[in-house]
């Protein structure tokens, strides 16, 4: 492929990515086949940016997510300041970040895997249905993952010019201050840099005596890049700590520890065991992208088995997947949005396998004695579980117990078969050499399947939440105080002042004493106070309340939900 042809195709991929993310910009997120996006989170997370744009001050009440996501809040404010407050403007940040991540992943994979691998990576990420949906929502995942991809791309560039390592460190820190869930990646990037410095030529097979193959960058350059990376991490963390964290330590600790950690699922052995078993079967994400999961996981094993000859950027992909998965298993697999950061590395490794016409695992794997395979049998069995789980769950969709049992049985059979046939079976997996046209055709077929999923979403799209927000603007004058989570969710197309009430945070403590807040927005279908018991407690405090008007909204898979604007003091 000529350079000119590559850039023409990359522009086509970029246009496709832009189209999928910007068409129907005010439509509701998927509700019939949800991907885990809660539509009322959009207004809640842009709350401080909206406050600043409309009322001139970041803080208006006791819900201030800018202490969790200052970078996201800053970008949202820039969008509001430039184009006004609205659903479209709020989503613009994620849309731009999503397109940027597509281009950066494509260019990064191209540098280590070739032109075709780069285009496959860009095409698969541009059309991945789950990834597209999060790029269309005004929540933090898209921007966080875009910074992680930018950090990885900078690590690729650091193999030629070491100072790019500092950029990788800065991007990782910006990802963390976009959403704290990116903490795993700061550790991942630091670990990759330390490994490069301490063991640049480590081989998992001690008996291997092959010399390192020629690489684009020398070990000296790679070690210098690792030092730049650590410097970038330390410098960026130091600057943000001095200018933001320390001056706002009380609020920062409250939002990032008490809300983000202590409120999360418990960390006892049973809870962790549940998360380990739920990981591949609880949500639809891995089912929707099963091919990339299979090839990406096996390809990561292949990179691990030839660790001695891999670049730091390739090692970083493996660590991204491994450390990210461990973080999920220890912390939370209940929210599907947590899985989004695994999509780019799975697609990157898949694209490297296809573009290099390599086997799913390294040829070195067949040289590992079977006795050593038995030593890592637990990892092999869990890998098999991750591969079969997304498909084995289909007969028992959303019935977790039965999905886990069937997946465990099939994984045990597959894992034992792999070890029993070692190394003959591994040799089959290590075979490559397919035609490039076949790899491109396969990637095109996967992209087409994702486009079908998007078409299905578009064909039944609704604008219920958008229209409800506009209706509230016609019913209430600007500056009206309104209680409830839905007040934030329905605030982007009007100028009300939402008073967020979380469960144990936000304006929770005085929720029953806010006589200055006359109105509350809440669900009445599928049930009154559906969004939380704290909302029902407010309703119970005002037995003489009166419903002023109702709105169609889209939240549950039925698509027939209703919210209500309620006057809490109807007799006054």
């Amino acid at each position: 492929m000529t350079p000119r042809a590559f850039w023409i195709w990359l522009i086509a991929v970029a246009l496709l990515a832009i189209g999928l993310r910007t068409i129907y910009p005010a439509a509701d997120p998927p509700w019939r086949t949800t991907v885990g996006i809660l539509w009322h989170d959009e207004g809640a997370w842009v709350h401080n940016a909206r406050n600043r744009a409309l009322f001139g001050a970041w803080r208006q009440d006791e819900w201030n997510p800018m202490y969790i996501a200052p970078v996201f809040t800053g970008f949202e404010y820039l969008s509001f300041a430039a184009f006004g407050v609205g659903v479209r403007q709020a989503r613009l940040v994620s849309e731009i970040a999503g397109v940027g991540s597509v281009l950066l992943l494509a260019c990064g994979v191209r540098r280590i895997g070739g032109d075709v691998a780069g285009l496959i990576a860009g095409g698969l990420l541009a059309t991945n249905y789950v990834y597209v949906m999060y790029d269309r929502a005004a929540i933090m995942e898209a921007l966080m993952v875009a910074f992680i991809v930018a950090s990885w791309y900078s690590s690729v560039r650091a193999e030629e010019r070491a100072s790019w390592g500092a950029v990788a460190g800065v991007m990782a820190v910006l990802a963390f201050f976009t959403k704290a869930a990116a903490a795993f990646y700061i550790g991942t990037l630091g670990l990759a840099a330390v490994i490069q410095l301490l063991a640049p030529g480590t081989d998992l097979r001690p008996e291997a005596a092959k010399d390192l193959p020629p690489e684009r960058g020398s070990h000296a350059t790679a070690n210098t890049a690792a030092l730049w990376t650590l410097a970038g991490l330390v410098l960026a963390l130091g600057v943000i700590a001095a200018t933001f964290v320390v001056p706002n330590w009380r609020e920062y600790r409250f939002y990032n520890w008490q809300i983000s950690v202590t409120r999360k699922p418990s960390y006892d052995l049973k809870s962790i065991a549940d998360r380990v078993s739920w990981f591949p079967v609880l949500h639809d994400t891995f089912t929707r992208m099963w091919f990339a999961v299979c090839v990406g996981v096996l390809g990561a094993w292949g990179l691990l088995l030839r660790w001695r000859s891999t670049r730091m950027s390739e090692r970083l992909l493996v660590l991204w997947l491994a450390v990210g998965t461990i973080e999920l298993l220890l912390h939370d697999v209940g929210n599907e949005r947590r899985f989004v950061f695994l999509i780019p590395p799975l697609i990157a490794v898949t694209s490297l396998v296809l573009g290099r016409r390599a086997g799913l695992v390294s040829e070195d794997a067949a040289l590992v004695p079977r006795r050593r395979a038995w030593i890592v049998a637990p990892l092999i069995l869990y890998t098999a579980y991750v591969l079969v789980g997304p498909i084995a769950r289909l007969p028992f969709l959303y019935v977790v117990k039965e999905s886990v049992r069937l997946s465990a049985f099939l994984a045990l059979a597959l894992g034992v078969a792999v070890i029993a046939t070692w190394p003959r079976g591994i040799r089959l997996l290590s075979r490559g050499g397919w035609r490039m046209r076949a790899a491109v055709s396969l990637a095109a077929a996967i992209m087409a399947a994702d486009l079908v999923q998007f078409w299905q979403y578009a064909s039944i799209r609704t604008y219920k939440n958008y229209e409800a927000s506009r209706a509230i603007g016609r019913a209430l004058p600007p500056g009206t105080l309104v209680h409830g989570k839905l007040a934030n969710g329905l605030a982007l197309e009007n100028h009300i002042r939402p008073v967020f009430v979380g469960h144990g945070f936000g304006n929770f403590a005085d929720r029953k004493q806010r006589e200055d807040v006359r109105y509350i927005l809440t669900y009445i279908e599928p049930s009154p106070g559906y969004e939380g018991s704290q909302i029902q407690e407010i309703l119970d405090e005002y037995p003489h309340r009166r419903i002023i008007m109702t709105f169609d909204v889209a939240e549950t898979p039925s698509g027939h939900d209703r919210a209500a604007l309620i006057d809490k003091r109807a007799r006054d």
Side-chain angles (χ1 to χ4, degrees):
M1 181 178 293
T2 64
R4 183 171 182 269
F6 171 82
W7 289 111
I8 290 174
W9 280 108
L10 186 61
I11 290 171
V13 167
L15 292 175
L16 179 60
I18 293 171
L20 291 175
R21 286 154 179 78
T22 58
I23 192 172
Y24 317 127
D28 303 326
W31 44 264
R32 178 172 293 177
T33 54
T34 179
V35 294
I37 297 173
L38 299 178
W39 66 269
H40 51 76
D41 277 357
E42 293 184 293
W45 287 112
V46 304
H47 181 60
N48 290 122
R50 178 183 179 275
N51 285 344
R52 176 68 176 175
L54 290 181
F55 307 119
W58 300 102
R59 299 184 61 158
Q60 296 290 318
D61 54 15
E62 295 307 314
W63 167 238
N64 296 289
M66 63 182 177
Y67 294 114
I68 302 176
V71 174
F72 176 76
T73 300
F75 276 98
E76 288 291 342
Y77 169 69
L78 291 177
S79 180
F80 290 155
F83 306 111
V85 175
V87 170
R88 295 175 178 85
Q89 297 92 318
R91 293 174 176 176
L92 184 61
V93 173
S94 294
E95 292 164 359
I96 294 174
V99 174
S101 65
V102 168
L103 295 177
L104 289 174
L105 191 76
C107 292
V109 170
R110 180 202 186 201
R111 285 180 170 271
I112 60 177
D115 292 344
V116 174
L119 289 176
I120 290 175
L124 292 180
L125 194 63
T127 57
N128 182 278
Y129 178 72
V130 175
Y131 199 74
V132 168
M133 289 298 109
Y134 276 89
D135 287 350
R136 293 172 56 88
I139 52 180
M140 300 171 291
E141 276 69 24
L143 186 60
M144 176 194 75
V145 176
F147 277 125
I148 294 177
V149 173
S151 175
W152 177 77
Y153 170 78
S154 300
S155 292
V156 176
R157 296 295 304 270
E159 293 171 357
E160 296 180 353
R161 182 172 295 180
S163 57
W164 273 93
V167 180
V170 172
M171 292 295 107
V173 173
L174 290 177
F176 172 75
F177 284 99
T178 297
K179 185 173 183 180
F184 87 93
Y185 185 78
I186 290 183
T188 297
L189 184 63
L191 178 61
V194 170
I195 290 175
Q196 176 61 43
L197 291 172
L198 298 181
T202 299
D203 195 314
L204 294 183
R205 297 184 300 103
E207 68 273 16
K210 295 181 295 184
D211 293 330
L212 286 171
E215 293 183 6
R216 184 178 299 166
S218 65
H219 279 309
T221 302
N223 290 347
T224 305
L227 290 172
W228 274 100
T229 300
L230 294 174
L233 282 171
V234 172
L235 179 63
L237 285 171
V239 169
I240 297 181
T243 59
F244 177 76
V245 176
V246 173
N248 302 286
W249 175 246
R250 182 171 175 272
E251 292 87 353
Y252 183 82
R253 183 182 182 280
F254 173 77
Y255 281 98
N256 287 274
W257 182 256
Q258 291 180 246
I259 290 181
S260 300
V261 178
T262 60
R263 289 178 56 253
K264 295 299 181 181
S266 58
Y267 301 96
D268 57 89
L269 186 60
K270 181 183 182 303
S271 298
I272 293 175
D274 286 342
R275 291 195 281 273
V276 169
S277 62
W278 293 350
F279 177 62
V281 303
L282 191 60
H283 302 297
D284 295 332
T285 298
F286 289 163
T287 304
R288 293 180 185 275
M289 52 179 297
W290 185 61
F291 178 83
V293 170
C294 291
V295 178
V297 170
L298 293 176
W301 268 106
L303 291 173
L304 182 64
L305 288 166
R306 57 183 184 86
W307 187 264
R308 184 171 180 263
S309 62
T310 56
R311 301 177 173 91
M312 178 178 162
S313 57
E314 293 174 305
R315 297 176 183 181
L316 186 54
L317 287 174
V318 177
L319 293 172
W320 183 349
L321 287 170
V323 178
T325 298
I326 292 171
E327 194 275 338
L328 289 179
L329 298 180
L330 292 176
H331 189 60
D332 180 22
V333 300
N335 294 309
E336 193 167 4
R337 63 179 179 269
R338 298 295 304 276
F339 288 67
V340 176
F341 67 69
L342 293 177
I343 296 175
L346 285 170
I347 286 178
V349 177
T350 298
S351 303
L352 289 174
V353 172
L354 294 178
R356 289 171 169 171
R357 296 184 292 175
L360 292 175
V361 298
S362 169
E363 294 179 356
D364 291 349
L367 301 177
V368 177
R370 184 184 297 176
R371 65 179 182 276
R372 293 195 177 183
W374 282 110
I375 294 175
V376 295
L379 291 177
I380 293 175
L381 290 174
Y382 193 68
T383 298
Y385 183 67
V386 171
L387 299 186
V388 303
I391 299 302
R393 67 187 285 269
L394 291 177
F396 311 102
L397 203 58
Y398 310 127
V399 181
V400 177
K401 182 180 292 187
E402 299 302 325
S403 299
V404 168
R405 288 175 177 174
L406 179 59
S407 300
F409 173 76
L410 295 177
L412 179 62
L414 177 60
V416 171
V418 168
I419 298 174
T421 60
W422 198 289
R424 295 188 303 277
I426 294 300
R427 289 196 184 100
L428 291 176
L429 293 178
S430 66
R431 289 181 181 175
W434 50 73
R435 292 179 180 272
M436 194 62 73
R437 182 177 298 176
V440 173
S441 299
L442 183 56
I446 297 168
M447 291 170 61
D450 281 313
L451 292 175
V452 168
Q453 293 182 67
F454 186 87
W455 174 82
Q456 291 172 334
Y457 156 76
S459 65
I460 61 169
R461 71 187 185 280
T462 59
Y463 295 86
K464 293 180 179 180
N465 308 326
Y466 172 77
E467 294 297 339
S469 183
R470 291 174 61 85
I472 290 169
R474 294 189 292 267
L476 298 177
T480 302
L481 292 171
V482 184
H483 242 151
K485 285 185 176 182
L486 293 196
N488 290 83
L490 293 172
L492 287 174
E493 290 295 324
N494 53 64
H495 290 182
I496 65 171
R497 288 179 182 260
V499 181
F500 183 90
V501 183
H503 192 73
F505 65 97
N507 301 276
F508 177 81
D510 63 352
R511 65 195 182 284
K512 298 180 181 180
Q513 290 83 39
R514 292 297 298 268
E515 296 300 324
D516 58 324
V517 185
R518 179 160 185 165
Y519 303 100
I520 183 171
L521 269 166
T522 183
Y523 286 103
I524 55 175
E525 293 181 20
S527 62
Y530 173 75
E531 62 271 40
S533 60
Q534 71 276 17
I535 305 300
Q536 186 61 54
E537 292 172 359
I538 298 175
L539 295 175
D540 294 341
E541 192 70 17
Y542 298 92
H544 303 297
R545 63 188 180 273
R546 177 173 62 91
I547 294 177
I548 298 176
M549 58 192 305
T550 62
F551 317 91
D552 291 331
V553 292
E555 167 67 11
T556 64
S558 72
H560 300 295
D561 307 302
R562 291 186 71 76
L565 177 64
I566 298 173
D567 187 338
K568 298 191 294 186
R569 305 191 306 272
R571 289 189 175 182
D572 294 353

